[in-house]
Amino acid sequence: MWFYIKLAWRNIFRNKRRTLIAGIAIAIGLASLILSDAFMIGMENNIVKSATASFLGEAQIHGDGFRETQEVEITVRNFDEVITKLNQEEIVDKFTPRTLSFGMVTSPADVSSVLLVGVAPETEIHLSQIDEAVNRGSYFTGDDNHDIIIGSKLAEILEVSLGDRLVVTVAQAETGDLSQELFRISGIYHFNMKEMDSGMAFIRLEKAQQMLGIGSRVHEIAIKFKDKTYAVQEELPFWETYSQGGNEAVSWTKLLPQLKAFFDMTGISLFVMCLILASVVVFGIINTLFMSLYERMFEFGVLRAVGTRAAGVRKLVIFEAGALGIVSIILGVILGFVSTLLFTKTGIDYRGIEFAGTTIKDMLYPEMNVLQFIIYPIGVFIFMLIVGLYPAFVAGRMSIADALRKSL
Amino acid sequence: MSNKMKNEANIIVTKNIKKNYRDNGIEVPAVRGIDLTIKPGEFAAIVGPSGSGKTTFLNVISGLDSATEGKVWLKGKLLTDMKGKELSDFRRDHIGFIFQSYNLIPVLTVEENVEYIMLLQGVDKAERHRRVLEILKEVGLEEYADRLPPKLSGGQQQRVAIARAMVSRPSLILADEPTANLDSKTGAGLLDMMKELNKKTGMTFIFSTHDEMVMKRARRVITLKDGRIAGDETKK
């Protein structure tokens, strides 16, 4: 065995230029896979962060049916008990309560429908980035219950600016009576996300509860985990614990199913890319191995003549494919590492571009992980051995007399 | 003497060996029925013009090629019935080959080339090393054990090929035009060396050749013409 490995290793360097060309072709394929995977991970994390950290949270608790109907009567059941439990929950980092209702915002110039969000400013800052996005005015300083924060686009629509007054109208829970209040614009935010900039307005939680006539109840508790991966672990007892007593706890994967589907699709795209690269590379490898095989036909004939079994010759060809694989992997890993590292420094500017309903807010950076440098190289190596089977089979079946005759 | 005993007492016995090739769909006979017996320790040359069937006959008697018809016994074993692993192992253990263009593996050192067959036989490393050095000394190349074949002259490479053929102590050495690529002086030296080894070890040597030097040195000259034996002369 070791003898064949040694022989195969030396054989592939007999024609250094050919080995280098074939090796570079495979290495480019491997490096592309590593880089693509790093980009996929970077993009996924970036989009998830854009989607969850802006406002959504990594998970949410609602009363059953609220997500489907958005009816203001449906609030989180046993709110105090849920809050107590969440405070003791080890995997939960922060959480914040919210009210959500549709309402009308009226200015002297125009009127617009919005999603009116009642927030607890002191805890909301841990869950969303509204405070960071406020670029005019301030984020709920003081204790004026008539402060309202609106998006830049909404301000444009309503032709208002900081300090202007707005009338907010909502329908009360249970009765459906209209409730109106006058608010003063204390802050204007810009998220660079169309829905948020034009369709949302934020007021204090107590004021929202009062307008909606829901007492101290809330519609939503947004949650941030200590580790973002908890959000995608469906087997965690967390989901069951908080999906009892008329409530439901859902992660962002269910709140944004289109995003989950998008990521699944990118996974499939990567797989398809693997297949395409593999099929391009496969012919190159087979060609290289066959050129090497036919060039050394007489040598294989001699090996067989002196008593090497067909299996020995097959082994030698497969080991040569493996040796070529190792050279390619070394080149590919270096190339993949350098190119990924380069992009982790420069990043790609996809800011403002929308993917599956979520607008990317930050620069996109590929994310390297150890598995990229283990799984893909191992995959390439196994692939090389499999590809080597065909020339190995041909080498094992060749007639010794024909092989000896060919090169004479 | 019964046929069985006769086959066992001889190195090679062939009976009505025929070999046809297909060339563009046409059956071309290369060997047309050869009956031949080679005794242990012979130093024989199979001679004849190009196309007379020398190489084909050597290929068939060594199991490198199959016969279209007829039988070959090698050391009493019916070679023409062997296949696959059995045939490979039999060749490895009983036949040494020397080829016209040396055909050493260029990426292996002289020592590695020579020890290869013993490696296939499962001989342990120390014994392999001992026997390689011994045979390299016999062929005058003990100082070249670590060299790669491309760094050697043609004559030296053919000596390595002889060492490779003999190191596993086979009963039969088949040499296909061993002097064809060598100058006459080197060729003569090699032939003398092989004759000496033949005397010393008792191994049987069969050459296919049309080199006068080989014919002069061979104790038996078998002449082939159109795939048949046209002459078989044993020198006194």
Side-chain angles (χ1 to χ4, degrees):
Chain A
M1 176 80 106
W2 283 111
F3 181 82
Y4 288 124
I5 291 172
K6 180 169 71 179
L7 184 55
W9 185 253
R10 290 184 195 172
N11 272 338
I12 65 155
F13 291 107
R14 280 166 74 168
N15 192 330
K16 290 188 184 74
R17 187 165 53 184
R18 187 168 60 204
T19 299
L20 196 68
I21 290 170
I24 286 173
I26 301 160
I28 289 172
L30 175 61
S32 309
L33 282 177
I34 292 172
L35 185 62
S36 304
D37 190 63
F39 263 119
M40 296 284 186
I41 294 172
M43 189 167 77
E44 196 171 315
N45 288 341
N46 190 312
I47 293 176
V48 170
K49 192 180 160 208
S50 290
T52 60
S54 301
F55 177 69
L56 200 70
E58 288 162 3
Q60 293 179 351
I61 297 172
H62 305 102
D64 274 344
F66 179 79
R67 278 199 305 135
E68 294 78 16
T69 62
Q70 299 281 307
E71 285 178 12
V72 288
E73 292 83 10
I74 304 173
T75 54
V76 175
R77 267 68 159 190
N78 307 315
F79 176 65
D80 293 337
E81 193 188 317
V82 171
I83 294 293
T84 309
K85 273 209 263 183
L86 281 175
N87 272 320
Q88 294 163 354
E89 197 66 60
E90 277 188 10
I91 64 168
V92 171
D93 185 22
K94 306 280 182 196
F95 61 90
T96 189
R98 292 169 182 159
T99 62
L100 301 165
S101 61
F102 289 103
M104 299 293 291
V105 184
T106 313
S107 74
D110 213 336
V111 63
S112 185
S113 65
V114 292
L115 177 66
L116 187 71
V117 187
V119 295
E122 62 284 358
T123 52
E124 185 66 37
I125 55 169
H126 302 303
L127 262 295
S128 63
Q129 295 171 332
I130 304 157
D131 56 321
E132 294 166 29
V134 171
N135 57 9
R136 278 181 281 166
S138 60
Y139 169 78
F140 295 120
T141 50
D143 53 3
D144 190 344
N145 258 356
H146 290 90
D147 282 348
I148 188 167
I149 296 174
I150 62 169
S152 54
K153 198 78 190 164
L154 184 62
E156 262 178 47
I157 293 165
L158 298 173
E159 296 176 25
V160 291
S161 62
L162 206 61
D164 288 349
R165 290 170 188 225
L166 294 172
V167 174
V168 176
T169 309
V170 291
Q172 287 198 319
E174 314 297 342
T175 62
D177 292 345
L178 292 181
S179 169
Q180 271 191 339
E181 287 274 352
L182 189 66
F183 288 85
R184 190 182 59 82
I185 300 169
S186 63
I188 296 174
Y189 63 82
H190 181 72
F191 262 114
N192 201 22
M193 292 164 80
K194 196 180 154 198
E195 293 80 10
M196 289 192 76
D197 290 341
S198 65
M200 288 174 87
F202 296 85
I203 61 173
R204 287 178 192 276
L205 182 67
E206 303 81 36
K207 190 70 194 167
Q209 286 168 329
Q210 183 202 327
M211 286 181 76
L212 293 167
I214 56 171
S216 60
R217 291 177 291 154
V218 300
H219 296 120
E220 175 175 294
I221 300 170
I223 295 158
K224 185 182 171 197
F225 292 112
K226 284 183 179 154
D227 182 340
K228 64 183 177 185
T229 61
Y230 290 140
V232 290
Q233 293 176 28
E234 289 178 9
E235 70 283 1
L236 282 181
F238 175 87
W239 309 111
E240 206 182 319
T241 305
Y242 294 91
S243 295
Q244 290 171 357
N247 289 332
E248 64 162 356
V250 285
S251 84
W252 66 263
T253 57
K254 286 196 178 134
L255 293 164
L256 296 167
Q258 72 278 19
L259 213 55
K260 178 79 171 29
F262 174 72
F263 293 144
D264 289 346
M265 203 176 74
T266 54
I268 293 167
S269 306
L270 190 63
F271 178 71
V272 171
M273 200 177 103
C274 283
L275 283 184
I276 294 169
L277 277 174
S279 52
V280 169
V281 165
V282 74
F283 293 106
I285 302 166
I286 287 184
N287 185 43
T288 303
L289 291 174
F290 268 113
M291 276 166 71
S292 167
L293 183 71
Y294 285 122
E295 234 175 51
R296 294 183 293 137
M297 201 70 161
F298 194 90
E299 205 172 292
F300 282 106
V302 171
L303 285 176
R304 292 282 283 119
V306 299
T308 310
R309 293 176 184 175
V313 170
R314 282 196 291 265
K315 241 186 259 176
L316 179 62
V317 175
I318 291 174
F319 289 164
E320 284 184 19
L324 179 60
I326 288 170
V327 171
S328 311
I329 286 166
I330 292 169
L331 292 173
V333 164
I334 294 170
L335 198 62
F337 179 77
V338 170
S339 55
T340 310
L341 190 70
L342 195 73
F343 279 110
T344 57
K345 303 287 176 205
T346 60
I348 295 182
D349 193 0
Y350 274 0
R351 283 177 296 186
I353 293 175
E354 199 178 291
F355 283 102
T358 302
T359 308
I360 291 184
K361 288 183 66 212
D362 303 318
M363 288 283 282
L364 187 62
Y365 294 100
E367 289 182 24
M368 277 195 260
N369 66 40
V370 183
L371 285 181
Q372 287 157 353
F373 295 91
I374 296 174
I375 290 175
Y376 291 121
I378 289 175
V380 166
F381 186 70
I382 293 170
F383 177 71
M384 292 289 292
L385 296 183
I386 293 170
V387 169
L389 287 175
Y390 176 46
F393 177 74
V394 172
R397 280 198 60 175
M398 73 169 71
S399 145
I400 305 171
D402 284 348
L404 291 172
R405 203 175 298 124
K406 261 178 193 165
S407 301
L408 273 172
Chain B
M1 189 185 272
S2 71
N3 274 347
K4 188 173 183 256
M5 283 172 72
K6 183 186 160 196
N7 293 344
E8 280 171 5
N10 293 303
I11 278 286
I12 292 174
V13 176
T14 71
K15 187 133 180 84
N16 192 29
I17 287 296
K18 289 181 183 170
K19 177 69 187 176
N20 298 341
Y21 286 112
R22 286 191 82 80
D23 188 11
N24 289 328
I26 301 162
E27 201 90 340
V28 180
V31 175
R32 298 167 190 247
I34 295 181
D35 295 311
L36 184 72
T37 300
I38 305 276
K39 292 186 180 68
E42 283 202 42
F43 197 76
I46 297 172
V47 301
S50 288
S52 59
K54 303 186 296 289
T55 300
T56 304
F57 182 63
L58 277 195
N59 285 344
V60 171
I61 62 171
S62 58
L64 295 180
D65 210 350
S66 58
T68 308
E69 208 181 309
K71 287 179 176 177
V72 177
W73 286 267
L74 208 150
K75 287 192 80 184
K77 296 269 191 294
L78 188 56
L79 192 78
T80 33
D81 270 4
M82 292 184 192
K83 279 192 173 67
K85 279 185 207 171
E86 187 193 8
L87 182 58
S88 291
D89 293 354
F90 190 81
R91 249 194 333 258
R92 177 195 70 194
D93 295 337
H94 299 285
I95 309 172
F97 290 91
I98 301 166
F99 301 96
Q100 179 180 330
S101 41
Y102 337 127
N103 290 104
L104 303 170
I105 299 167
V107 292
L108 297 180
T109 63
V110 165
E111 179 171 355
E112 287 166 338
N113 265 286
V114 176
E115 76 170 345
Y116 177 67
I117 296 166
M118 288 190 288
L119 200 79
L120 294 175
Q121 289 172 324
V123 177
D124 72 68
K125 196 177 176 181
E127 174 66 6
R128 287 201 310 262
H129 184 67
R130 192 189 65 74
R131 276 162 65 178
V132 167
L133 291 186
E134 189 182 282
I135 194 78
L136 285 180
K137 201 173 171 186
E138 289 275 0
V139 297
L141 288 174
E142 67 269 39
E143 287 165 21
Y144 296 84
D146 295 329
R147 293 260 183 106
L148 290 171
K151 306 273 180 195
L152 303 177
S153 69
Q156 286 169 328
Q157 287 190 53
Q158 196 61 303
R159 279 166 189 260
V160 178
I162 292 166
R164 179 178 65 183
M166 294 185 67
V167 75
S168 62
R169 297 166 187 162
S171 332
L172 173 67
I173 304 281
L174 293 176
D176 188 13
E177 310 270 11
T179 53
N181 285 351
L182 302 173
D183 61 75
S184 53
K185 193 181 163 195
T186 311
L190 272 175
L191 286 168
D192 290 339
M193 188 184 79
M194 285 193 267
K195 197 163 182 181
E196 193 57 38
L197 288 167
N198 164 255
K199 263 189 207 161
K200 203 166 150 184
T201 62
M203 285 181 202
T204 309
F205 278 72
I206 302 176
F207 301 88
S208 91
T209 188
H210 35 8
D211 184 344
E212 288 290 329
M213 285 192 305
V214 182
M215 292 184 229
K216 266 187 209 161
R217 284 166 177 81
R219 282 192 289 273
R220 182 178 173 190
V221 177
I222 300 145
T223 309
L224 294 191
K225 194 177 174 192
D226 298 330
R228 290 191 182 92
I229 294 180
D232 187 350
E233 181 197 351
T234 304
K235 294 173 190 168
K236 298 285 176 188

